[in-house]
Amino acid sequence: MPISVILGLQWGDEAKGKVVDLLSQEFDIIVRYQGGANAGHTIYYNNQKIPLHLIPSGIFHPDKTCIIGNGVVVDPYALKDEIEKLKELGINVKERLYISSRAHLILPYHKKRDEERDRTRKIGTTKKGIGPAYQDKSARWGIRAGDIFYPDYLRERLKNNIDNYQELFKEYTEILNFIKPMIKDTVSILVEAEQSGKKILMEGAQGTMLDVDFGTYPYVTSSNPTIGGVFTGTGLSPKFLDKIIGVSKAYTTRVGAGPFPTELEGNMQSYLREEGNEYGATTGRARRCGWLDLTQLKYAADVNGIDGIFLTKMDVLNHLEEIKVGIGYRHNGKIISTFPDAISILNEIVVEYKTLKGWNTNINGIKTFSKLPEQTKDYIKFIQDFINIPVIGISTGPLRGDVIYAD
Ligand code: GDP
Ligand code: IMO
Ligand code: MG
């Protein structure tokens, strides 16, 4: 079974990039299946902090192939920028990155539309043109990467979309020519890879609670970061699925507007934000911070059918006497056992918490699970028992080496 998946269980920024970079060693091909440059996946390479927006986080392993699948919306300007930045670091991308010919493009008019709309809709989007590009795709109005191979068709499509298409056709052709050698039928590349026994790792962007179907709609993104997105976004069948790994922070964050049941206020929120350096990798916005929400996490685990949890940023909780975790919701005094399907309910729920003892010591540098403080083990066990899924690894710092695998 050659396909494994790493996806976010919260509202994004769970440190998926770090986990993908870490686990890429065991795979041949790393694939992004949805989202676009709204993602910001941070990797440390030679002690340098690098945010990736479109290129899969496996790119730092020189022998790996990376694929941007058909489910991704590709901003060619952002992609060129990213390729050039990596080149400056000595990482050659062009020979081992493929972009799906079926992937839809984000062009400057999508970003403009995104900015204009969010002024009134106030979702707090990343303004990267994601919503408008997916909208054009569903409306059968979109422009795909592979259209560059058919200039007359591309011109015609642009004519349908914008007024000054003549001028822009030239400009867009130029930028698309830069990525043209990498644009391929990635469906057949992936199918062939699967058939020849290559190991494939799928890298989710955003997170389950930002999923357009399963998230806190309408405060979501426009794609499916959840498990189904893997298949519609790449062309591979679920039949070949091996492991699904869900990434969660040891607490919760959210950027942008929308419900966040365990959100903290005041000093405690600032504490987590500063300890966790919770500022967006894409927009630099301060992230909203709160306690871990196990009702939410269980919902995300169920929706994706995850096999294991990777718990990140454990070190951020190092110096707390007590740590709270959300263990249930009440609405109008009644306990609700599932994650609410309506914003109006989410806005009214009261969260019930369990207070656990903090370990109040530095766990950075610990390399084996058995050497962790008892309180850290208890915290992990509590999560594991509640969700009924094993924690397979924890991250104790931003670097590749800051990791402990479960025994
Ligand atoms: P992604 O979008 O899910 O890939 O996550 P981001 O890169 O947006 O955000 C995660 C942030 O936490 C980045 O700045 C990482 O460098 C950092 N990070 C990752 N793992 C850890 C960890 O275990 N501890 C700490 N303190 N920081 C971490
Ligand atoms: P990674 O992959 C966190 C949020 C935005 C906004 C909502 C819709 O780094 O985890 P969009 O621009 O997608 O239309 O914005 O989704 N959002 C993210 N939040 N991490 C991300 O990606 C996000 N991508 C989008 O802040 O609330
Ligand atoms: Mg991010």
Side-chain angles (χ1 to χ4, degrees), residues 9-179:
L9 295 176
Q10 300 167 307
W11 279 275
D13 300 330
E14 298 91 346
K16 299 174 292 294
K18 174 184 163 159
V19 178
V20 170
D21 172 61
L22 202 63
L23 301 185
S24 286
Q25 299 168 54
E26 299 163 30
F27 294 85
D28 301 297
I29 304 176
I30 298 91
V31 189
R32 274 277 308 271
Y33 58 88
Q34 46 66 237
N38 49 348
H41 296 181
T42 315
I43 284 100
Y44 276 80
Y45 177 72
N46 292 339
N47 288 329
Q48 208 173 328
K49 186 176 179 172
I50 302 154
L52 292 176
H53 303 289
L54 278 164
I55 298 174
S57 303
I59 200 75
F60 295 98
H61 298 263
D63 54 332
K64 309 297 175 192
T65 299
C66 289
I67 291 183
I68 296 177
N70 57 277
V72 176
V73 278
V74 180
D75 175 343
Y77 295 87
L79 184 55
K80 178 169 187 262
D81 203 42
E82 211 164 302
I83 291 170
E84 284 174 346
K85 282 202 177 113
L86 288 176
K87 195 159 183 220
E88 279 168 28
L89 293 167
I91 298 161
N92 215 346
V93 174
K94 281 188 126 175
E95 278 84 58
R96 52 199 184 88
L97 176 72
Y98 300 125
I99 304 150
S100 173
S101 50
R102 293 177 173 87
H104 280 249
L105 295 176
I106 296 188
L107 292 167
Y109 57 87
H110 293 115
K111 287 166 83 169
K112 193 159 161 264
R113 228 183 278 162
D114 193 4
E115 255 167 48
E116 281 165 9
R117 285 183 191 164
D118 206 47
R119 256 180 243 145
T120 50
R121 294 183 190 174
K122 297 197 186 320
I123 287 165
T125 72
T126 58
K127 320 286 187 288
K128 301 291 179 190
I130 304 297
Y134 278 118
Q135 201 176 358
D136 278 2
K137 175 179 175 176
S138 295
R140 296 151 294 177
W141 209 243
I143 295 175
R144 307 202 296 180
D147 293 349
I148 186 64
F149 295 110
Y150 310 95
D152 292 342
Y153 180 73
L154 175 61
R155 193 185 286 110
E156 203 51 35
R157 298 295 288 176
L158 275 175
K159 193 174 165 186
N160 286 336
N161 275 281
I162 42 178
D163 298 330
N164 53 340
Y165 74 96
Q166 292 285 21
E167 202 180 302
L168 290 176
F169 173 72
K170 248 183 90 198
E171 185 193 321
Y172 295 166
T173 303
E174 211 168 292
I175 186 82
L176 287 172
N177 277 338
F178 181 84
I179 59 167

Side-chain angles (χ1 to χ4, degrees), residues 12-18 40-42 44 49 249 275-277 281 287 312-316 395-398 402:
D13 300 330
E14 298 91 346
K16 299 174 292 294
K18 174 184 163 159
H41 296 181
T42 315
Y44 276 80
K49 186 176 179 172
K249 277 180 190 165
E275 287 291 303
N277 189 24
R287 294 177 183 144
T312 62
K313 304 193 89 160
M314 282 293 282
D315 55 304
V316 175
S395 171
T396 56
D402 302 327

